[in-house]
Each structure stands twice: as structure tokens, then as C-alpha cells.
Amino acid sequence: GVWIWGEPRARTSRGQTVSIVYLDTEGFESTGKPDAYDDRIFALSAIVSSVLIYNLPETVKEADIEKLSFAAELAEEFFGRVNGKSGAPMTPAHLLWLIQRDFLEGKSVQQMVKGALQSVPNPNKLAALDHVNHVRASLQAMSRNSSAFGLKQPHLQRTKLCELKDHDLERDYVRQREQLKQLVVEMVAPKKVGSNVLDGPKLAKLIEDTVEALNEGEIPMAGSVVDVFNRGVLQKCVDLYTKKMGSIVLPVDTSTLQAAHDEAMALARALFDKERFGARTTTQGDALYEKEFKLLVATNALASSQTCESFHAQCEEAFEQLRNMRLPSMKKFDDGVQAKNHSFQTKCVGPSAAVYSEKLRKSYQRERTYFLSEYNQRLFNGLLALAVILVVFYRFISKNAMLEFAAWALFMFLEVYPKMYFGSAGSFYESSWWQHGVQVWEAIAYNQLIDLERQGPMLLVGTVLGVLTLRYRRWCRRRMKKIASKDVDV
């Protein structure tokens, strides 16, 4: 726990009278307590004190440095939570390294501490050694205002220290202890938050707010470091980013994907800034977000290519069907192409859209050119076949000599006239009467009411049935007349 001396002691320090309050706290790795409990106590001590004594037996170990670095950064983080992220900066306490040992192997205490905080050369770029050097560098930055003091062992029988009087202790220890007291008094300065000096009520309020923040906040467990905790927070942010981006149905436009990336990264940054520990920037995870984004960009490109390829194949198949329609119609061909192109533009999105749109445009031009090259010839062949059908129909079925003659005349005209055409137009198909005939055909073959290719067979069957019905009724009337005339003769 934390023990506070019963009442302040007034001392003159640096030319001004200050009230010194002594706090005694348990150290790291206390018995029967979780590590986070020790870290909270240290954080409280570092925040409220102006002089912090780090008491170590015998020497400075690597574990001592790492724990102190972790706890000091933890204190700075919770001080920021108490005063707001943009509040007054924390004035670090003067750190006094108190080393209790009998000999220093030719080194002073200050030299030993300084040597322990020096970075170790790492020519092989070992990750573990990089971590150690990072801890040492961060602790040096946090504890530039520090000093060291050596203290001999008070007595060989350490188990009886509580029972011994001062005259029973080692003389050098008693002398050094008095020097330590004087050194602490000389180091003491009024506690400041930013440029504001704290009086009693303000210090009490700082302690109250700090304890509340420490008890409410989730902090890393002892034995870990802030970076380890922040790594978990960062992974949580990456998971949030991935979940946000995973809700997008691919493929999408590049601009849409970029906008979603910016929004998801802003949310992840906000979460990291809210839950992080220590002086970490909100852009710490940007490399991870960009890595996820690059993977998503590649996935989007693949999905766009596959989708556009599939719809491009469907459109080409539809173009081929339109080109080979039984009853050719330019208007129907253009309307069918326009409908397929609209469907393609709606469904083919993403990075591959531009490439496949150009491929589709070339496919359309190729199919239309081929369709036009056959269009007039197919109409002419159809008209010639119609003339032959009319000749057969009016000769054998309807038996109308005048209409049969007209059908023969149409057949002979179509056979002879194109071969003997000498008009001003370059081709028979470019003549005005043929163009007018094509317009009439387009109006009949494909319009808002009828599509001859689909409905033509039903109209043909209906016409044939109608003609057969009329022929049958005429035959029945003639037969009835013959029967009636025979009865009269009898």
C-alpha cells in the first residue's frame, strides 16, 4: 500500500519554504498482490511526487530498468487522462536512484546508473536487443532530471533491523543515511502541473483524480510493457478496420473503395487514440491499415476483372444473337445493344470497367458492321422468297390470276432490275425507293406494338388458318349449291 507521514514538515528549499510530505510505497513484485496493483501504486507516486526515490539492492538489473520505464510511461498516460490529452504537460519527478550495496568495483553510483542506461551496440539487428535499447532510450528521455546515491548495508543481520537502534548500525550507513535525508530536502521543489504550483487542496484533488483514473482504467498487467498492450489495442483497431471494409460488396469503383478506406481508418485511429497507453501517435497503425487496403485493392481488381469478363461474354453472345435474328431489323439491333450496354455499365464496376467497356465498344462496332453488310441482302432475299410464295399461293391455293401475275411481275423485277441498275446511287440498295421500303419494313417489323420475329409465327399461323377457313366455307357453299341444283333438276 501507500503510507503517508502524519503531517508535513516545513523546510527551506531553494530559497523558499515548502511543506514536505513523505510517502512510503511498496515496491514491485510485492507478495500476494497482482502486478497491476504495484504498477498503479508506482504510477500514483510518480504523478503526485516531486522527488521519486527508486530503491534497489546491490545493482541495477535489466528487469529493474524495464519495470521503471513501463511504470513511468504508465504514470504519464494516466496523468494525461486526469488532465485531458491536451491539458498541462506532466512535470516529471526528480528521479533518485538509491543503490544499497557495499562495493562498486571502482565505479561511482552515478557511473553505474549511467552505464546501465546506455544503449548496447546491435550490429546483428537482434529484435530482443532492439527492445532493450528502446526501453533504455525511453527511460533516459523520461528521467533526464535524475541522480544516484549509494548506501551501505545497515547491518549484517538484516532480520533484526527493526529491533536495532542507530548506535547498533554501521557507522558509514548512519552517516550516509543523514546525507541522503539532506540530499532529498535539497532536491525537493514545489509540485507543479505545467506552470501552476500546487497547494494542499490542489494536490489533494490531483491525488483523488489520479486514484479514480487508475481504478477505472484498464491497464496492462505487470511484467508486460506499454508496447505490448498497445499492440493488443492496435490489433483491435485493425479488426475494426477489417470489419468495416469487409461490409463492402466487391467489386466497387476505386473512388468508393478509397472513401470507405479513409472512413474506416479514421474510426480505427479514433479508437486507438481512445484506448492507447503512452505517447503514441494515432497514425501508428497506418502501415497495417494500408497493408489491409492494398490487399483489398487487389481483391477488388480481381473481382472487377472476373465480373466484367462474365458480363462482357454475355453481351457478346447477345450481340451475336441480334446479328443472326431471323427477321433483320436495324432498330431492334440498336435497341438490344443499348439495353445490354446499360446493363453492362451498371454491373461492370471497378478498375477493369474502363478496359472492358472499350472491349465491348469494339465488339459492338464489329457486330454492327457485319450486321449492316448482310442487312440489305437478307431483306432482298426475303422479298424474293415472298414473291415466290405469293406465286405458289395464288396459283394453287387462292387461284387468283391477277394477283398471281402481280407476284410473277414482282419476282421478275427483283431478278432483273438489280442487275440492270444504272441509277445515280452507287448501289441498288442506296436508291430512294429501296430506302423508303426499308423504312416501311422497320416500322412494320419492330415497333411498340409488335415484334415480327417473336409474334410473326403466330400471325402467320393465324393467317393460314384464316385463309383455310375461308376456303373451306367457300367450298361448303359451292357444294350446297350443287346439291340444291340437283334437287331442282329431279
mmCIF file of all heavy atoms in Angstrom, residues 344-381:
data_model
loop_
_atom_site.group_PDB
_atom_site.id
_atom_site.type_symbol
_atom_site.label_atom_id
_atom_site.label_comp_id
_atom_site.label_asym_id
_atom_site.label_seq_id
_atom_site.Cartn_x
_atom_site.Cartn_y
_atom_site.Cartn_z
ATOM 1 N N PHE A 344 -24.539 -3.673 -68.760
ATOM 2 C CA PHE A 344 -23.105 -3.875 -68.565
ATOM 3 C C PHE A 344 -22.510 -2.743 -67.741
ATOM 4 O O PHE A 344 -21.724 -2.980 -66.812
ATOM 5 C CB PHE A 344 -22.425 -3.959 -69.930
ATOM 6 C CG PHE A 344 -20.920 -4.109 -69.845
ATOM 7 C CD1 PHE A 344 -20.356 -5.349 -69.637
ATOM 8 C CD2 PHE A 344 -20.090 -3.002 -69.966
ATOM 9 C CE1 PHE A 344 -18.976 -5.498 -69.560
ATOM 10 C CE2 PHE A 344 -18.718 -3.139 -69.886
ATOM 11 C CZ PHE A 344 -18.163 -4.388 -69.682
ATOM 12 N N GLN A 345 -22.864 -1.488 -68.053
ATOM 13 C CA GLN A 345 -22.319 -0.341 -67.327
ATOM 14 C C GLN A 345 -22.757 -0.353 -65.867
ATOM 15 O O GLN A 345 -22.031 0.133 -64.988
ATOM 16 C CB GLN A 345 -22.774 0.969 -67.992
ATOM 17 C CG GLN A 345 -22.255 1.165 -69.400
ATOM 18 C CD GLN A 345 -20.743 1.270 -69.456
ATOM 19 O OE1 GLN A 345 -20.089 1.644 -68.487
ATOM 20 N NE2 GLN A 345 -20.174 0.933 -70.611
ATOM 21 N N THR A 346 -23.920 -0.911 -65.579
ATOM 22 C CA THR A 346 -24.418 -0.964 -64.206
ATOM 23 C C THR A 346 -23.694 -2.025 -63.381
ATOM 24 O O THR A 346 -23.379 -1.806 -62.203
ATOM 25 C CB THR A 346 -25.927 -1.256 -64.200
ATOM 26 O OG1 THR A 346 -26.605 -0.249 -64.947
ATOM 27 C CG2 THR A 346 -26.478 -1.273 -62.778
ATOM 28 N N LYS A 347 -23.395 -3.151 -64.002
ATOM 29 C CA LYS A 347 -22.852 -4.289 -63.261
ATOM 30 C C LYS A 347 -21.334 -4.387 -63.342
ATOM 31 O O LYS A 347 -20.707 -4.971 -62.455
ATOM 32 C CB LYS A 347 -23.485 -5.584 -63.772
ATOM 33 C CG LYS A 347 -24.988 -5.637 -63.529
ATOM 34 C CD LYS A 347 -25.609 -6.891 -64.118
ATOM 35 C CE LYS A 347 -27.120 -6.932 -63.882
ATOM 36 N NZ LYS A 347 -27.751 -8.109 -64.489
ATOM 37 N N CYS A 348 -20.742 -3.863 -64.392
ATOM 38 C CA CYS A 348 -19.287 -3.901 -64.523
ATOM 39 C C CYS A 348 -18.697 -2.630 -63.922
ATOM 40 O O CYS A 348 -18.728 -1.560 -64.546
ATOM 41 C CB CYS A 348 -18.881 -4.040 -65.991
ATOM 42 S SG CYS A 348 -17.080 -3.994 -66.253
ATOM 43 N N VAL A 349 -18.196 -2.718 -62.699
ATOM 44 C CA VAL A 349 -17.624 -1.573 -61.996
ATOM 45 C C VAL A 349 -16.245 -1.953 -61.484
ATOM 46 O O VAL A 349 -15.853 -3.116 -61.473
ATOM 47 C CB VAL A 349 -18.525 -1.131 -60.819
ATOM 48 C CG1 VAL A 349 -19.851 -0.607 -61.323
ATOM 49 C CG2 VAL A 349 -18.746 -2.286 -59.839
ATOM 50 N N GLY A 350 -15.505 -0.951 -61.067
ATOM 51 C CA GLY A 350 -14.190 -1.204 -60.519
ATOM 52 C C GLY A 350 -13.080 -0.874 -61.503
ATOM 53 O O GLY A 350 -13.308 -0.279 -62.569
ATOM 54 N N PRO A 351 -11.856 -1.284 -61.185
ATOM 55 C CA PRO A 351 -10.697 -0.919 -62.011
ATOM 56 C C PRO A 351 -10.765 -1.444 -63.440
ATOM 57 O O PRO A 351 -10.193 -0.842 -64.344
ATOM 58 C CB PRO A 351 -9.519 -1.560 -61.257
ATOM 59 C CG PRO A 351 -10.011 -1.764 -59.857
ATOM 60 C CD PRO A 351 -11.469 -2.021 -59.966
ATOM 61 N N SER A 352 -11.441 -2.575 -63.670
ATOM 62 C CA SER A 352 -11.486 -3.178 -65.004
ATOM 63 C C SER A 352 -12.603 -2.621 -65.868
ATOM 64 O O SER A 352 -12.719 -3.023 -67.040
ATOM 65 C CB SER A 352 -11.640 -4.700 -64.883
ATOM 66 O OG SER A 352 -10.564 -5.266 -64.170
ATOM 67 N N ALA A 353 -13.433 -1.734 -65.326
ATOM 68 C CA ALA A 353 -14.600 -1.254 -66.072
ATOM 69 C C ALA A 353 -14.192 -0.541 -67.352
ATOM 70 O O ALA A 353 -14.772 -0.765 -68.416
ATOM 71 C CB ALA A 353 -15.441 -0.337 -65.183
ATOM 72 N N ALA A 354 -13.181 0.311 -67.281
ATOM 73 C CA ALA A 354 -12.773 1.086 -68.456
ATOM 74 C C ALA A 354 -12.252 0.169 -69.565
ATOM 75 O O ALA A 354 -12.586 0.352 -70.743
ATOM 76 C CB ALA A 354 -11.714 2.106 -68.063
ATOM 77 N N VAL A 355 -11.448 -0.829 -69.180
ATOM 78 C CA VAL A 355 -10.862 -1.736 -70.180
ATOM 79 C C VAL A 355 -11.950 -2.537 -70.874
ATOM 80 O O VAL A 355 -11.990 -2.636 -72.119
ATOM 81 C CB VAL A 355 -9.846 -2.678 -69.511
ATOM 82 C CG1 VAL A 355 -9.323 -3.705 -70.507
ATOM 83 C CG2 VAL A 355 -8.702 -1.883 -68.918
ATOM 84 N N TYR A 356 -12.874 -3.097 -70.102
ATOM 85 C CA TYR A 356 -13.913 -3.945 -70.693
ATOM 86 C C TYR A 356 -14.980 -3.116 -71.406
ATOM 87 O O TYR A 356 -15.626 -3.617 -72.332
ATOM 88 C CB TYR A 356 -14.531 -4.842 -69.627
ATOM 89 C CG TYR A 356 -13.688 -6.053 -69.335
ATOM 90 C CD1 TYR A 356 -12.737 -6.039 -68.322
ATOM 91 C CD2 TYR A 356 -13.812 -7.211 -70.091
ATOM 92 C CE1 TYR A 356 -11.944 -7.144 -68.065
ATOM 93 C CE2 TYR A 356 -13.031 -8.328 -69.841
ATOM 94 C CZ TYR A 356 -12.089 -8.287 -68.828
ATOM 95 O OH TYR A 356 -11.298 -9.389 -68.589
ATOM 96 N N SER A 357 -15.182 -1.876 -71.001
ATOM 97 C CA SER A 357 -16.092 -1.000 -71.735
ATOM 98 C C SER A 357 -15.554 -0.733 -73.138
ATOM 99 O O SER A 357 -16.317 -0.717 -74.124
ATOM 100 C CB SER A 357 -16.285 0.320 -70.974
ATOM 101 O OG SER A 357 -16.958 0.109 -69.757
ATOM 102 N N GLU A 358 -14.253 -0.537 -73.238
ATOM 103 C CA GLU A 358 -13.637 -0.330 -74.554
ATOM 104 C C GLU A 358 -13.724 -1.603 -75.392
ATOM 105 O O GLU A 358 -14.000 -1.543 -76.606
ATOM 106 C CB GLU A 358 -12.177 0.091 -74.365
ATOM 107 C CG GLU A 358 -11.418 0.336 -75.658
ATOM 108 C CD GLU A 358 -11.979 1.480 -76.474
ATOM 109 O OE1 GLU A 358 -12.718 2.315 -75.908
ATOM 110 O OE2 GLU A 358 -11.682 1.530 -77.680
ATOM 111 N N LYS A 359 -13.502 -2.754 -74.769
ATOM 112 C CA LYS A 359 -13.631 -4.015 -75.495
ATOM 113 C C LYS A 359 -15.058 -4.226 -75.979
ATOM 114 O O LYS A 359 -15.278 -4.687 -77.113
ATOM 115 C CB LYS A 359 -13.208 -5.183 -74.591
ATOM 116 C CG LYS A 359 -11.728 -5.218 -74.272
ATOM 117 C CD LYS A 359 -11.391 -6.352 -73.315
ATOM 118 C CE LYS A 359 -11.647 -7.702 -73.928
ATOM 119 N NZ LYS A 359 -11.200 -8.801 -73.034
ATOM 120 N N LEU A 360 -16.041 -3.849 -75.142
ATOM 121 C CA LEU A 360 -17.437 -4.006 -75.538
ATOM 122 C C LEU A 360 -17.786 -3.065 -76.688
ATOM 123 O O LEU A 360 -18.550 -3.430 -77.597
ATOM 124 C CB LEU A 360 -18.343 -3.738 -74.329
ATOM 125 C CG LEU A 360 -19.835 -4.007 -74.548
ATOM 126 C CD1 LEU A 360 -20.059 -5.500 -74.769
ATOM 127 C CD2 LEU A 360 -20.654 -3.534 -73.350
ATOM 128 N N ARG A 361 -17.238 -1.867 -76.654
ATOM 129 C CA ARG A 361 -17.495 -0.910 -77.739
ATOM 130 C C ARG A 361 -16.965 -1.450 -79.062
ATOM 131 O O ARG A 361 -17.629 -1.356 -80.108
ATOM 132 C CB ARG A 361 -16.842 0.423 -77.409
ATOM 133 C CG ARG A 361 -17.149 1.536 -78.418
ATOM 134 C CD ARG A 361 -16.348 2.786 -78.097
ATOM 135 N NE ARG A 361 -14.917 2.569 -78.273
ATOM 136 C CZ ARG A 361 -14.306 2.610 -79.461
ATOM 137 N NH1 ARG A 361 -15.000 2.864 -80.571
ATOM 138 N NH2 ARG A 361 -13.009 2.421 -79.530
ATOM 139 N N LYS A 362 -15.776 -2.036 -79.042
ATOM 140 C CA LYS A 362 -15.213 -2.609 -80.265
ATOM 141 C C LYS A 362 -16.028 -3.814 -80.724
ATOM 142 O O LYS A 362 -16.205 -4.011 -81.945
ATOM 143 C CB LYS A 362 -13.759 -3.005 -80.015
ATOM 144 C CG LYS A 362 -12.831 -1.819 -79.802
ATOM 145 C CD LYS A 362 -11.397 -2.272 -79.573
ATOM 146 C CE LYS A 362 -10.468 -1.068 -79.399
ATOM 147 N NZ LYS A 362 -9.059 -1.486 -79.156
ATOM 148 N N SER A 363 -16.518 -4.622 -79.782
ATOM 149 C CA SER A 363 -17.356 -5.765 -80.148
ATOM 150 C C SER A 363 -18.640 -5.292 -80.817
ATOM 151 O O SER A 363 -19.096 -5.879 -81.812
ATOM 152 C CB SER A 363 -17.680 -6.595 -78.907
ATOM 153 O OG SER A 363 -16.512 -7.121 -78.314
ATOM 154 N N TYR A 364 -19.223 -4.231 -80.281
ATOM 155 C CA TYR A 364 -20.451 -3.680 -80.862
ATOM 156 C C TYR A 364 -20.199 -3.171 -82.280
ATOM 157 O O TYR A 364 -20.984 -3.438 -83.209
ATOM 158 C CB TYR A 364 -20.972 -2.551 -79.979
ATOM 159 C CG TYR A 364 -21.975 -1.652 -80.656
ATOM 160 C CD1 TYR A 364 -23.230 -2.127 -81.017
ATOM 161 C CD2 TYR A 364 -21.668 -0.327 -80.950
ATOM 162 C CE1 TYR A 364 -24.155 -1.308 -81.652
ATOM 163 C CE2 TYR A 364 -22.571 0.499 -81.584
ATOM 164 C CZ TYR A 364 -23.812 0.006 -81.935
ATOM 165 O OH TYR A 364 -24.721 0.823 -82.567
ATOM 166 N N GLN A 365 -19.105 -2.438 -82.468
ATOM 167 C CA GLN A 365 -18.790 -1.924 -83.801
ATOM 168 C C GLN A 365 -18.569 -3.065 -84.792
ATOM 169 O O GLN A 365 -19.019 -3.001 -85.954
ATOM 170 C CB GLN A 365 -17.550 -1.032 -83.731
ATOM 171 C CG GLN A 365 -17.775 0.290 -83.003
ATOM 172 C CD GLN A 365 -16.510 1.130 -82.927
ATOM 173 O OE1 GLN A 365 -15.412 0.639 -83.129
ATOM 174 N NE2 GLN A 365 -16.679 2.411 -82.622
ATOM 175 N N ARG A 366 -17.886 -4.113 -84.352
ATOM 176 C CA ARG A 366 -17.635 -5.254 -85.243
ATOM 177 C C ARG A 366 -18.939 -5.945 -85.634
ATOM 178 O O ARG A 366 -19.187 -6.226 -86.817
ATOM 179 C CB ARG A 366 -16.698 -6.233 -84.545
ATOM 180 C CG ARG A 366 -16.332 -7.439 -85.402
ATOM 181 C CD ARG A 366 -15.433 -8.419 -84.658
ATOM 182 N NE ARG A 366 -16.111 -9.040 -83.523
ATOM 183 C CZ ARG A 366 -15.844 -8.778 -82.265
ATOM 184 N NH1 ARG A 366 -14.919 -7.880 -81.953
ATOM 185 N NH2 ARG A 366 -16.495 -9.388 -81.288
ATOM 186 N N GLU A 367 -19.784 -6.218 -84.652
ATOM 187 C CA GLU A 367 -21.046 -6.909 -84.920
ATOM 188 C C GLU A 367 -21.988 -6.044 -85.754
ATOM 189 O O GLU A 367 -22.699 -6.547 -86.629
ATOM 190 C CB GLU A 367 -21.719 -7.311 -83.601
ATOM 191 C CG GLU A 367 -20.958 -8.326 -82.776
ATOM 192 C CD GLU A 367 -20.843 -9.669 -83.476
ATOM 193 O OE1 GLU A 367 -21.694 -9.960 -84.352
ATOM 194 O OE2 GLU A 367 -19.899 -10.416 -83.174
ATOM 195 N N ARG A 368 -21.992 -4.743 -85.519
ATOM 196 C CA ARG A 368 -22.884 -3.858 -86.289
ATOM 197 C C ARG A 368 -22.423 -3.758 -87.741
ATOM 198 O O ARG A 368 -23.250 -3.737 -88.668
ATOM 199 C CB ARG A 368 -22.921 -2.466 -85.666
ATOM 200 C CG ARG A 368 -24.082 -1.613 -86.151
ATOM 201 C CD ARG A 368 -24.136 -0.298 -85.389
ATOM 202 N NE ARG A 368 -25.409 0.367 -85.607
ATOM 203 C CZ ARG A 368 -25.695 1.146 -86.659
ATOM 204 N NH1 ARG A 368 -24.764 1.337 -87.594
ATOM 205 N NH2 ARG A 368 -26.874 1.704 -86.795
ATOM 206 N N THR A 369 -21.105 -3.700 -87.931
ATOM 207 C CA THR A 369 -20.582 -3.666 -89.294
ATOM 208 C C THR A 369 -20.958 -4.945 -90.051
ATOM 209 O O THR A 369 -21.386 -4.896 -91.218
ATOM 210 C CB THR A 369 -19.048 -3.501 -89.274
ATOM 211 O OG1 THR A 369 -18.730 -2.284 -88.599
ATOM 212 C CG2 THR A 369 -18.482 -3.460 -90.677
ATOM 213 N N TYR A 370 -20.829 -6.075 -89.395
ATOM 214 C CA TYR A 370 -21.182 -7.343 -90.012
ATOM 215 C C TYR A 370 -22.691 -7.410 -90.278
ATOM 216 O O TYR A 370 -23.133 -7.902 -91.327
ATOM 217 C CB TYR A 370 -20.744 -8.490 -89.107
ATOM 218 C CG TYR A 370 -20.865 -9.855 -89.733
ATOM 219 C CD1 TYR A 370 -19.869 -10.340 -90.580
ATOM 220 C CD2 TYR A 370 -21.972 -10.657 -89.481
ATOM 221 C CE1 TYR A 370 -19.986 -11.589 -91.168
ATOM 222 C CE2 TYR A 370 -22.093 -11.912 -90.067
ATOM 223 C CZ TYR A 370 -21.102 -12.371 -90.908
ATOM 224 O OH TYR A 370 -21.222 -13.603 -91.487
ATOM 225 N N PHE A 371 -23.480 -6.899 -89.323
ATOM 226 C CA PHE A 371 -24.938 -6.910 -89.482
ATOM 227 C C PHE A 371 -25.356 -6.051 -90.674
ATOM 228 O O PHE A 371 -26.212 -6.442 -91.489
ATOM 229 C CB PHE A 371 -25.591 -6.402 -88.196
ATOM 230 C CG PHE A 371 -27.097 -6.372 -88.243
ATOM 231 C CD1 PHE A 371 -27.835 -7.522 -88.053
ATOM 232 C CD2 PHE A 371 -27.780 -5.186 -88.477
ATOM 233 C CE1 PHE A 371 -29.227 -7.492 -88.096
ATOM 234 C CE2 PHE A 371 -29.156 -5.144 -88.520
ATOM 235 C CZ PHE A 371 -29.880 -6.304 -88.328
ATOM 236 N N LEU A 372 -24.737 -4.875 -90.797
ATOM 237 C CA LEU A 372 -25.083 -3.980 -91.907
ATOM 238 C C LEU A 372 -24.669 -4.572 -93.250
ATOM 239 O O LEU A 372 -25.345 -4.356 -94.268
ATOM 240 C CB LEU A 372 -24.406 -2.622 -91.711
ATOM 241 C CG LEU A 372 -25.007 -1.716 -90.643
ATOM 242 C CD1 LEU A 372 -24.142 -0.475 -90.466
ATOM 243 C CD2 LEU A 372 -26.436 -1.327 -90.994
ATOM 244 N N SER A 373 -23.551 -5.298 -93.264
ATOM 245 C CA SER A 373 -23.098 -5.881 -94.518
ATOM 246 C C SER A 373 -24.070 -6.943 -95.045
ATOM 247 O O SER A 373 -24.128 -7.195 -96.256
ATOM 248 C CB SER A 373 -21.710 -6.499 -94.330
ATOM 249 O OG SER A 373 -21.763 -7.612 -93.454
ATOM 250 N N GLU A 374 -24.860 -7.557 -94.183
ATOM 251 C CA GLU A 374 -25.807 -8.590 -94.591
ATOM 252 C C GLU A 374 -27.252 -8.105 -94.612
ATOM 253 O O GLU A 374 -28.124 -8.787 -95.155
ATOM 254 C CB GLU A 374 -25.720 -9.796 -93.625
ATOM 255 C CG GLU A 374 -24.384 -10.516 -93.656
ATOM 256 C CD GLU A 374 -24.383 -11.715 -92.724
ATOM 257 O OE1 GLU A 374 -25.123 -11.652 -91.704
ATOM 258 O OE2 GLU A 374 -23.689 -12.690 -93.006
ATOM 259 N N TYR A 375 -27.474 -6.949 -93.987
ATOM 260 C CA TYR A 375 -28.845 -6.481 -93.761
ATOM 261 C C TYR A 375 -29.633 -6.343 -95.073
ATOM 262 O O TYR A 375 -30.697 -6.960 -95.254
ATOM 263 C CB TYR A 375 -28.798 -5.145 -93.029
ATOM 264 C CG TYR A 375 -30.139 -4.500 -92.781
ATOM 265 C CD1 TYR A 375 -31.031 -5.037 -91.866
ATOM 266 C CD2 TYR A 375 -30.509 -3.351 -93.469
ATOM 267 C CE1 TYR A 375 -32.258 -4.437 -91.628
ATOM 268 C CE2 TYR A 375 -31.730 -2.751 -93.244
ATOM 269 C CZ TYR A 375 -32.600 -3.288 -92.324
ATOM 270 O OH TYR A 375 -33.808 -2.703 -92.105
ATOM 271 N N ASN A 376 -29.151 -5.563 -96.035
ATOM 272 C CA ASN A 376 -29.865 -5.330 -97.289
ATOM 273 C C ASN A 376 -30.014 -6.608 -98.103
ATOM 274 O O ASN A 376 -31.074 -6.854 -98.707
ATOM 275 C CB ASN A 376 -29.145 -4.263 -98.115
ATOM 276 C CG ASN A 376 -29.299 -2.887 -97.513
ATOM 277 O OD1 ASN A 376 -30.386 -2.498 -97.073
ATOM 278 N ND2 ASN A 376 -28.209 -2.123 -97.468
ATOM 279 N N GLN A 377 -28.969 -7.431 -98.124
ATOM 280 C CA GLN A 377 -29.037 -8.679 -98.889
ATOM 281 C C GLN A 377 -30.081 -9.615 -98.308
ATOM 282 O O GLN A 377 -30.814 -10.290 -99.065
ATOM 283 C CB GLN A 377 -27.665 -9.350 -98.910
ATOM 284 C CG GLN A 377 -27.577 -10.582 -99.795
ATOM 285 C CD GLN A 377 -27.851 -10.266 -101.259
ATOM 286 O OE1 GLN A 377 -27.362 -9.257 -101.784
ATOM 287 N NE2 GLN A 377 -28.651 -11.089 -101.919
ATOM 288 N N ARG A 378 -30.154 -9.665 -96.965
ATOM 289 C CA ARG A 378 -31.156 -10.541 -96.337
ATOM 290 C C ARG A 378 -32.576 -10.037 -96.612
ATOM 291 O O ARG A 378 -33.496 -10.830 -96.826
ATOM 292 C CB ARG A 378 -30.891 -10.619 -94.827
ATOM 293 C CG ARG A 378 -29.613 -11.375 -94.468
ATOM 294 C CD ARG A 378 -29.400 -11.413 -92.974
ATOM 295 N NE ARG A 378 -30.442 -12.190 -92.312
ATOM 296 C CZ ARG A 378 -30.593 -12.264 -90.994
ATOM 297 N NH1 ARG A 378 -29.764 -11.573 -90.211
ATOM 298 N NH2 ARG A 378 -31.550 -12.990 -90.470
ATOM 299 N N LEU A 379 -32.747 -8.707 -96.588
ATOM 300 C CA LEU A 379 -34.064 -8.158 -96.927
ATOM 301 C C LEU A 379 -34.425 -8.470 -98.381
ATOM 302 O O LEU A 379 -35.585 -8.823 -98.695
ATOM 303 C CB LEU A 379 -34.080 -6.644 -96.696
ATOM 304 C CG LEU A 379 -34.117 -6.156 -95.249
ATOM 305 C CD1 LEU A 379 -34.201 -4.630 -95.215
ATOM 306 C CD2 LEU A 379 -35.302 -6.747 -94.498
ATOM 307 N N PHE A 380 -33.481 -8.327 -99.284
ATOM 308 C CA PHE A 380 -33.726 -8.623 -100.691
ATOM 309 C C PHE A 380 -34.084 -10.096 -100.885
ATOM 310 O O PHE A 380 -35.034 -10.437 -101.609
ATOM 311 C CB PHE A 380 -32.492 -8.260 -101.515
ATOM 312 C CG PHE A 380 -32.654 -8.530 -102.982
ATOM 313 C CD1 PHE A 380 -33.332 -7.635 -103.799
ATOM 314 C CD2 PHE A 380 -32.139 -9.697 -103.557
ATOM 315 C CE1 PHE A 380 -33.486 -7.892 -105.160
ATOM 316 C CE2 PHE A 380 -32.296 -9.952 -104.901
ATOM 317 C CZ PHE A 380 -32.963 -9.046 -105.710
ATOM 318 N N ASN A 381 -33.321 -10.999 -100.234
ATOM 319 C CA ASN A 381 -33.615 -12.433 -100.341
ATOM 320 C C ASN A 381 -34.983 -12.749 -99.758
ATOM 321 O O ASN A 381 -35.715 -13.610 -100.291
ATOM 322 C CB ASN A 381 -32.536 -13.246 -99.634
ATOM 323 C CG ASN A 381 -31.188 -13.153 -100.332
ATOM 324 O OD1 ASN A 381 -31.116 -12.820 -101.511
ATOM 325 N ND2 ASN A 381 -30.113 -13.424 -99.592
#
